[in-house]
Amino acid sequence: MTNSETLAMFKSSGALLDGHFRLTSGRHSNSYFQCAKVLQYPEYLSAICGEIAGFFRESGITTVISPAIGGIVVGTEVGRQLGVKTIFAERKDGTMMIRRGFSIDPAEQVLVVEDVITTGGSVAEVIELVRAAGATVAGVASVVDRSNGKVRLADRQFSLLTMEVVSYAPEECPLCKEGVPIYAPGSRTNPQG
């Protein structure tokens, strides 16, 4: 699947938004990928996750883990298509952790799956959890890589849509300076204003 075909899915489902956004990373941008809107359609979910699963099919993956909330739908479908255990990590009191009785054994080959990577902060936290369990990080996958490949988190990394999307530190944001209202649609916080 090409970048153009993937972008067409995002646009037709209303998942590529224009405006002034506070990203989960804390940075600001004039565009936002709302993966949940494209992934709500089974045909898009299956196609997108099929590309990711296909890339890692011969990698000996035994477990897929995703950071909550954004990565859960993608990770679950990738795990289903690979036929492997699928779990997620989530924040409790601001700290990423594995809960709900999930566990990772040292022998596991783990694929970390996220919806959108901007700085890679959440994925890096999940990678540390995998390594702390003594398991191997066999790869990292995402639907969208907003860094255009600049954020490298694993030796084997795959993103279906890779593109450079401009983002700004809050103090450097031209949209803030123009007084454009900001929206924070990410899963960590959702304040407006």
Side-chain angles (χ1 to χ4, degrees), residues 4-130:
S4 298
E5 291 168 332
T6 306
L7 271 174
M9 284 186 208
F10 271 83
K11 289 177 181 174
S12 71
S13 63
L16 180 54
L17 309 175
D18 291 315
H20 182 194
F21 303 98
R22 181 179 304 115
L23 307 174
T24 303
S25 65
R27 295 181 64 82
H28 293 194
S29 182
N30 64 349
S31 64
Y32 188 83
F33 290 91
Q34 183 58 273
C35 280
K37 289 189 80 172
V38 73
L39 299 174
Q40 70 182 322
Y41 298 103
E43 66 273 18
Y44 291 160
L45 174 64
S46 181
I48 287 168
C49 295
E51 292 287 321
I52 295 169
F55 185 86
F56 289 98
R57 191 161 313 281
E58 304 303 320
S59 299
I61 305 297
T62 59
T63 303
V64 171
I65 186 171
S66 302
I69 289 177
I72 293 176
V73 171
V74 181
T76 300
E77 178 62 12
V78 169
R80 187 194 69 76
Q81 290 193 27
L82 290 173
V84 300
K85 177 175 93 172
T86 306
I87 63 175
F88 60 88
E90 60 189 309
R91 292 186 192 286
K92 181 176 181 191
D93 301 324
T95 301
M96 189 71 76
M97 56 182 54
I98 297 172
R99 302 177 57 210
R100 301 179 191 266
F102 294 144
S103 64
I104 299 174
D105 296 322
E108 294 183 52
Q109 297 289 313
V110 182
L111 175 62
V112 182
V113 177
E114 176 67 296
D115 59 349
V116 179
I117 291 176
T118 301
T119 64
S122 295
V123 172
E125 291 176 77
V126 173
I127 287 171
E128 288 307 311
L129 294 173
V130 172

